[in-house]
Amino acid sequence: MGLRVEEDCLPRGMNGYYCDALGLIVLHDKLNARQRLCTLQHELIHAHYHDIGCGSVIGLRAELRARRETALTLISPVEYQLAEATYDGEAYSMAVELGVTMQVLKDYQDMLHDTIRM
């Protein structure tokens, strides 16, 4: 994709960001391996769509799309089912087993719930 990925100290609560004008992804320098993987995947999705920010209605839609696609990319349905059975639905253990953050696991579960409701 021709992007640069850098690490830097970012404000509290900000794990990373994508700057389309610079072709740059910046990740917080204090992320653990699971956080780094999930944040990088999330920002790569923003880069794929050339998203420019999340401060508008269009930006909020882009953020939701990036969260959904991150969860779908990083969590296999088969591995999810196995983790759910193994850990009896206990979220933290499932997230660790799947190698994702709690947020990514929750996003995946929300999509499952929405699919079932339809």
Side-chain angles (χ1 to χ4, degrees):
M1 292 177 76
L3 300 169
R4 285 191 344 257
V5 178
E6 298 178 1
E7 292 186 354
D8 201 355
C9 183
L10 297 177
R12 184 182 190 121
M14 182 179 223
N15 288 343
Y17 66 88
Y18 166 66
C19 177
D20 192 54
L22 300 174
L24 174 68
I25 292 173
V26 178
L27 304 176
H28 196 298
D29 61 354
K30 301 293 187 218
L31 299 177
N32 65 39
R34 286 184 302 127
Q35 291 169 321
R36 184 175 288 110
L37 172 70
C38 294
T39 303
L40 180 58
Q41 180 61 49
H42 179 96
E43 300 306 335
L44 285 169
I45 290 166
H46 282 307
H48 174 76
Y49 291 104
H50 298 280
D51 294 334
I52 56 172
C54 56
S56 66
V57 171
I58 293 171
L60 290 174
R61 287 184 185 146
E63 186 63 18
L64 289 173
R65 179 187 62 218
R67 287 176 58 171
R68 282 192 312 269
E69 288 190 24
T70 296
L72 290 171
T73 300
L74 295 179
I75 298 177
S76 150
V78 171
E79 290 176 2
Y80 176 86
Q81 288 177 328
L82 183 59
E84 188 174 51
T86 301
Y87 297 104
D88 199 28
E90 197 277 306
Y92 180 78
S93 297
M94 290 175 62
V96 171
E97 178 70 23
L98 295 168
V100 298
T101 62
M102 289 289 292
Q103 182 65 59
V104 171
L105 178 65
K106 182 182 181 317
D107 292 340
Y108 189 85
Q109 290 174 328
D110 289 347
M111 286 185 293
L112 287 177
H113 184 271
D114 292 347
T115 301
I116 291 169
R117 281 193 321 184
M118 293 179 173

